[in-house]
Coordinates of all heavy atoms in Angstrom, one line a residue:
D272 N 14.9 -22.5 11.1 CA 15.1 -23.9 10.7 C 15.1 -24.0 9.2 O 14.2 -23.5 8.5 CB 13.9 -24.8 11.2 CG 14.1 -26.3 11.0 OD1 14.7 -26.6 10.0 OD2 13.5 -27.1 11.7
P273 N 16.2 -24.5 8.6 CA 16.3 -24.6 7.1 C 15.1 -25.2 6.5 O 14.7 -24.9 5.3 CB 17.6 -25.4 6.9 CG 18.4 -25.2 8.1 CD 17.4 -25.1 9.2
G274 N 14.5 -26.2 7.2 CA 13.3 -26.9 6.6 C 12.1 -26.0 6.4 O 11.2 -26.3 5.7
T275 N 12.1 -24.8 7.0 CA 11.0 -23.9 6.9 C 11.2 -22.8 5.9 O 10.3 -21.9 5.7 CB 10.6 -23.3 8.3 OG1 11.7 -22.3 8.6 CG2 10.5 -24.3 9.4
V276 N 12.4 -22.8 5.3 CA 12.7 -21.7 4.3 C 12.2 -22.1 2.9 O 12.7 -23.1 2.4 CB 14.2 -21.4 4.3 CG1 14.5 -20.2 3.4 CG2 14.7 -21.0 5.7
A277 N 11.3 -21.4 2.4 CA 10.8 -21.7 1.1 C 11.9 -21.6 0.0 O 12.8 -20.8 0.1 CB 9.6 -20.8 0.7
A278 N 11.7 -22.4 -1.1 CA 12.7 -22.5 -2.1 C 12.9 -21.1 -2.8 O 14.0 -20.7 -3.1 CB 12.3 -23.5 -3.2
E279 N 11.8 -20.4 -3.0 CA 11.9 -19.1 -3.6 C 12.7 -18.1 -2.7 O 13.3 -17.1 -3.2 CB 10.6 -18.5 -4.0 CG 9.5 -18.4 -2.9 CD 8.7 -19.6 -2.7 OE1 9.1 -20.7 -3.1 OE2 7.6 -19.5 -2.2
V280 N 12.6 -18.2 -1.4 CA 13.4 -17.4 -0.5 C 14.8 -17.6 -0.7 O 15.7 -16.7 -0.8 CB 12.9 -17.5 1.0 CG1 13.8 -16.8 1.9 CG2 11.5 -17.0 1.1
W281 N 15.2 -18.9 -0.7 CA 16.6 -19.3 -0.9 C 17.1 -18.7 -2.2 O 18.2 -18.2 -2.4 CB 16.9 -20.8 -0.8 CG 17.0 -21.3 0.5 CD1 16.3 -22.4 1.0 CD2 17.9 -20.9 1.6 NE1 16.6 -22.6 2.3 CE2 17.6 -21.8 2.7 CE3 18.8 -19.9 1.7 CZ2 18.3 -21.6 3.9 CZ3 19.5 -19.8 2.9 CH2 19.2 -20.6 4.0
R282 N 16.3 -18.8 -3.2 CA 16.7 -18.4 -4.6 C 16.8 -16.9 -4.8 O 17.7 -16.4 -5.4 CB 15.7 -19.0 -5.6 CG 16.1 -18.7 -7.1 CD 15.1 -19.5 -8.0 NE 13.7 -19.1 -7.9 CZ 12.8 -19.9 -7.3 NH1 13.1 -21.1 -6.9 NH2 11.5 -19.5 -7.2
N283 N 15.8 -16.2 -4.2 CA 15.7 -14.8 -4.5 C 16.0 -13.8 -3.4 O 16.3 -12.6 -3.6 CB 14.3 -14.4 -5.0 CG 13.9 -15.1 -6.3 OD1 14.8 -15.5 -7.1 ND2 12.6 -15.3 -6.5
E284 N 16.0 -14.3 -2.1 CA 16.0 -13.4 -1.0 C 17.1 -13.5 0.0 O 17.2 -12.7 0.9 CB 14.6 -13.4 -0.3 CG 13.4 -13.1 -1.2 CD 12.1 -13.2 -0.5 OE1 12.1 -13.0 0.7 OE2 11.1 -13.5 -1.1
R285 N 17.8 -14.6 -0.1 CA 18.8 -14.9 1.0 C 19.9 -13.8 1.0 O 20.3 -13.3 0.1 CB 19.4 -16.3 0.8 CG 20.6 -16.4 -0.1 CD 20.3 -16.2 -1.6 NE 21.5 -16.2 -2.4 CZ 22.4 -15.2 -2.6 NH1 22.1 -14.1 -2.0 NH2 23.4 -15.3 -3.3
M286 N 20.2 -13.5 2.3 CA 21.3 -12.6 2.6 C 21.3 -11.3 1.8 O 22.3 -10.9 1.2 CB 22.7 -13.3 2.5 CG 23.8 -12.6 3.4 SD 25.4 -13.5 3.3 CE 26.0 -12.9 1.7
P287 N 20.3 -10.5 1.9 CA 20.4 -9.1 1.4 C 21.4 -8.3 2.2 O 21.5 -8.5 3.4 CB 19.0 -8.5 1.6 CG 18.4 -9.4 2.7 CD 19.0 -10.7 2.6
S288 N 22.3 -7.6 1.5 CA 23.5 -7.0 2.2 C 23.7 -5.6 1.9 O 23.4 -5.1 0.8 CB 24.7 -7.8 1.8 OG 24.6 -9.2 2.1
V289 N 24.2 -4.8 2.8 CA 24.6 -3.4 2.6 C 25.9 -3.2 3.4 O 26.1 -3.6 4.5 CB 23.5 -2.5 3.1 CG1 23.1 -2.7 4.5 CG2 23.9 -1.0 2.8
S290 N 26.9 -2.5 2.7 CA 28.2 -2.4 3.3 C 28.9 -1.2 2.7 O 28.7 -0.8 1.6 CB 29.0 -3.6 2.9 OG 30.3 -3.5 3.4
G291 N 29.7 -0.5 3.6 CA 30.6 0.5 3.2 C 30.0 1.8 2.8 O 30.5 2.6 1.9
L292 N 28.8 2.2 3.3 CA 28.1 3.4 3.0 C 27.9 4.3 4.2 O 27.8 3.9 5.3 CB 26.7 3.1 2.4 CG 26.7 2.3 1.1 CD1 25.3 1.9 0.8 CD2 27.4 3.0 -0.1
E293 N 27.9 5.6 3.9 CA 27.5 6.6 4.9 C 26.0 7.0 4.6 O 25.7 7.3 3.4 CB 28.3 7.9 4.8 CG 27.9 9.0 5.8 CD 28.6 10.3 5.6 OE1 29.6 10.3 4.7 OE2 28.3 11.3 6.2
L294 N 25.2 7.0 5.6 CA 23.8 7.3 5.5 C 23.4 8.4 6.5 O 23.7 8.3 7.7 CB 22.8 6.2 5.7 CG 23.0 5.0 4.6 CD1 23.7 3.9 5.2 CD2 21.6 4.6 4.1
T295 N 22.9 9.5 6.0 CA 22.5 10.6 6.8 C 21.2 11.2 6.3 O 20.7 10.8 5.2 CB 23.6 11.7 6.9 OG1 23.3 12.7 7.9 CG2 23.9 12.4 5.5
G296 N 20.7 12.2 7.0 CA 19.4 12.7 6.7 C 19.3 14.2 6.8 O 20.0 14.8 7.7
S297 N 18.5 14.9 6.0 CA 18.2 16.3 6.2 C 16.8 16.6 6.5 O 16.4 17.7 6.5 CB 18.6 17.1 4.9 OG 17.8 16.6 3.8
H298 N 16.0 15.5 6.9 CA 14.7 15.6 7.3 C 14.6 15.1 8.7 O 15.2 14.0 9.0 CB 13.7 14.9 6.4 CG 12.3 15.2 6.6 ND1 11.6 14.6 7.6 CD2 11.4 15.9 5.9 CE1 10.3 15.0 7.6 NE2 10.2 15.8 6.5
A299 N 13.8 15.7 9.6 CA 13.7 15.2 11.0 C 13.2 13.8 11.1 O 13.5 13.1 12.1 CB 12.8 16.2 11.8
D300 N 12.4 13.3 10.2 CA 11.8 12.0 10.3 C 12.4 11.0 9.2 O 11.8 10.0 8.9 CB 10.3 12.1 10.1 CG 9.6 12.8 11.2 OD1 10.1 12.7 12.3 OD2 8.6 13.5 10.9
A301 N 13.6 11.3 8.8 CA 14.3 10.4 7.9 C 15.0 9.3 8.7 O 15.7 9.5 9.7 CB 15.4 11.2 7.1
D302 N 14.8 8.0 8.3 CA 15.4 6.9 8.9 C 16.4 6.3 7.9 O 16.3 6.5 6.6 CB 14.4 5.8 9.2 CG 13.4 6.2 10.2 OD1 13.7 7.1 11.0 OD2 12.3 5.7 10.3
A303 N 17.4 5.5 8.4 CA 18.3 4.9 7.4 C 17.7 3.7 6.7 O 17.6 3.7 5.5 CB 19.6 4.4 8.2
M304 N 17.3 2.7 7.4 CA 16.7 1.5 6.8 C 15.6 0.9 7.6 O 15.7 0.8 8.8 CB 17.8 0.5 6.6 CG 18.9 0.9 5.7 SD 20.0 -0.4 5.3 CE 21.4 0.5 4.5
S305 N 14.6 0.4 6.9 CA 13.5 -0.4 7.4 C 13.7 -1.8 6.9 O 14.0 -2.0 5.7 CB 12.2 0.2 7.0 OG 11.1 -0.7 7.4
I306 N 13.6 -2.8 7.7 CA 13.9 -4.2 7.3 C 12.7 -5.1 7.8 O 12.4 -5.2 9.0 CB 15.2 -4.7 8.0 CG1 16.4 -3.7 7.6 CG2 15.5 -6.1 7.6 CD1 17.3 -3.4 8.8
E307 N 12.1 -5.8 6.8 CA 10.9 -6.6 7.1 C 10.9 -7.8 6.2 O 11.2 -7.8 5.0 CB 9.7 -5.8 6.7 CG 8.4 -6.5 6.7 CD 7.2 -5.8 6.1 OE1 7.3 -4.5 6.0 OE2 6.3 -6.5 5.6
G308 N 10.7 -9.0 6.9 CA 10.5 -10.2 6.2 C 11.8 -10.8 5.6 O 11.7 -11.7 4.7
T309 N 12.9 -10.4 6.1 CA 14.2 -10.9 5.4 C 14.7 -12.1 6.1 O 14.4 -12.4 7.3 CB 15.2 -9.8 5.5 OG1 15.6 -9.5 6.9 CG2 14.8 -8.5 4.9
M310 N 15.6 -12.8 5.3 CA 16.3 -14.0 5.8 C 17.8 -13.7 5.6 O 18.3 -13.4 4.5 CB 15.9 -15.2 5.0 CG 16.7 -16.5 5.4 SD 16.3 -17.0 7.1 CE 17.3 -18.5 7.2
Q311 N 18.5 -13.6 6.7 CA 20.0 -13.4 6.7 C 20.4 -11.9 6.3 O 21.4 -11.8 5.6 CB 20.7 -14.4 5.9 CG 20.4 -15.8 6.4 CD 20.9 -16.9 5.4 OE1 21.0 -16.7 4.2 NE2 21.2 -18.1 6.0
F312 N 19.6 -10.9 6.7 CA 20.0 -9.6 6.4 C 21.3 -9.3 7.0 O 21.6 -9.6 8.2 CB 19.0 -8.6 6.9 CG 19.3 -7.1 6.6 CD1 19.0 -6.6 5.4 CD2 20.0 -6.4 7.5 CE1 19.3 -5.3 5.1 CE2 20.3 -5.0 7.3 CZ 20.0 -4.5 6.0
T313 N 22.3 -8.7 6.3 CA 23.6 -8.4 6.8 C 24.0 -7.0 6.5 O 24.0 -6.5 5.4 CB 24.6 -9.4 6.1 OG1 24.2 -10.7 6.3 CG2 26.0 -9.2 6.6
A314 N 24.4 -6.3 7.6 CA 24.9 -4.9 7.5 C 26.2 -4.8 8.1 O 26.5 -5.1 9.2 CB 23.9 -4.0 8.2
T315 N 27.2 -4.2 7.3 CA 28.6 -4.1 7.8 C 29.2 -2.8 7.3 O 28.8 -2.2 6.3 CB 29.5 -5.2 7.3 OG1 29.5 -5.2 5.8 CG2 29.0 -6.6 7.8
K316 N 30.0 -2.2 8.1 CA 30.9 -1.1 7.8 C 30.0 0.1 7.3 O 30.3 0.8 6.3 CB 31.9 -1.4 6.7 CG 32.9 -2.5 7.2 CD 33.9 -2.9 6.1 CE 34.8 -4.0 6.6 NZ 35.8 -4.3 5.5
L317 N 29.0 0.4 8.1 CA 28.1 1.6 7.8 C 28.4 2.7 8.8 O 28.7 2.5 10.0 CB 26.6 1.2 7.9 CG 26.2 0.0 7.0 CD1 24.7 -0.2 7.3 CD2 26.4 0.3 5.5
L318 N 28.2 3.9 8.3 CA 28.1 5.1 9.2 C 26.7 5.6 9.0 O 26.3 6.1 7.9 CB 29.1 6.2 8.8 CG 28.9 7.5 9.4 CD1 29.0 7.5 10.9 CD2 30.0 8.5 8.9

């Protein structure tokens, strides 16, 4: 609900984005991305 989104979130945090990258690992416990507490996280065109 837009009414629950704090002003500082709209100003500083809206729609964090990642696009057009290849991500791989050379460690058995390597992850690509951890995502926490975000508003409108957007991921496109990733390998």
Side-chain angles (χ1 to χ4, degrees):
D272 185 333
T275 70
V276 183
E279 57 269 23
V280 171
W281 279 127
R282 182 173 60 251
N283 296 335
E284 302 181 27
R285 86 292 178 275
M286 204 178 75
S288 302
V289 55
S290 178
L292 297 173
E293 175 187 357
L294 294 105
T295 188
S297 60
H298 191 285
D300 294 326
D302 297 335
M304 297 191 192
S305 173
I306 303 138
E307 169 194 336
T309 65
M310 178 64 176
Q311 301 171 334
F312 181 85
T313 301
T315 59
K316 298 180 181 178
L317 302 178
L318 167 59

